[in-house]
């Protein structure tokens, strides 16, 4: 699965930005899409995850720093997963990228374990 994120850019403190991760080649009913971020010189950080399961729908899990400000959703019509960043802060500046996996437990795999395909990321810069 090839992943190409989009939607990054420059945003002011307190503003919003929506990132996108198209997944048109996923032909499975059960899968998970995780969002991660990384700043040069620092470890990768899990932002959150959405898990799609047949008969259950979408379940999400968020890291503490993103809970309440960020929202992850799957738009099945567009075959795209979105990460909506609200009320952004300077510390949210990072390269954001998505990953896909079939056997992912969103909370347990928040560090990125069990994801099979990764995108290259889209840069988000928050200006104060």
């Amino acid at each position: 699965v090839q992943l190409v994120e989009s939607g990054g850019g420059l945003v002011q403190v307190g503003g919003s930005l929506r990132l996108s991760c198209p997944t048109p080649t996923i032909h499975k009913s059960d899968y998970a899409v995780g969002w991660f971020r990384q700043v040069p010189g620092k470890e990768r950080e899990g932002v959150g995850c959405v898990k799609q399961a047949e008969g259950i729908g979408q379940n999400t899990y968020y890291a503490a720093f993103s809970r309440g400000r960020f929202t992850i959703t799957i738009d099945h019509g567009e075959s795209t997963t979105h990460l909506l960043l609200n009320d952004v802060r300077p510390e949210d500046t990072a390269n954001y990228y998505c990953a896909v996996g079939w056997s992912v437990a969103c909370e347990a795999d928040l560090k990125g374990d069990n994801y099979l395909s990764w995108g290259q990321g889209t840069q988000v810069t928050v200006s104060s």
Side-chain angles (χ1 to χ4, degrees):
V1 178
Q2 184 176 5
L3 304 175
V4 180
E5 303 89 341
S6 65
L10 182 65
V11 58
Q12 291 188 331
V13 169
S16 298
L17 205 61
R18 191 180 76 162
L19 310 182
S20 299
C21 176
T23 54
T25 58
I26 292 181
H27 300 295
K28 285 180 169 284
S29 56
D30 295 2
Y31 61 94
V33 179
W35 282 92
F36 302 84
R37 69 184 189 183
Q38 191 167 22
V39 175
K42 293 189 176 181
E43 288 189 1
R44 179 181 66 203
E45 189 173 38
V47 175
C49 162
V50 58
K51 186 161 187 177
Q52 166 67 40
E54 187 174 8
I56 297 176
Q58 300 181 27
N59 283 304
T60 52
Y61 180 82
Y62 299 92
F65 70 84
S66 63
R67 203 168 296 147
R69 295 191 301 128
F70 297 175
T71 304
I72 301 173
T73 55
I74 299 174
D75 185 325
H76 293 289
E78 296 181 354
S79 296
T80 299
T81 299
H82 298 290
L83 170 63
L84 176 63
L85 312 177
N86 285 322
D87 188 26
V88 295
R89 304 164 182 169
E91 56 265 36
D92 294 324
T93 295
N95 188 44
Y96 285 73
Y97 47 103
C98 60
V100 171
W102 317 135
S103 301
V104 170
C106 280
E107 181 176 356
D109 295 329
L110 192 59
K111 290 188 176 182
D113 296 334
N114 291 318
Y115 286 92
L116 302 177
S117 298
W118 294 79
Q120 294 299 308
T122 183
Q123 177 68 32
V124 172
T125 302
V126 181
S127 65
S128 55

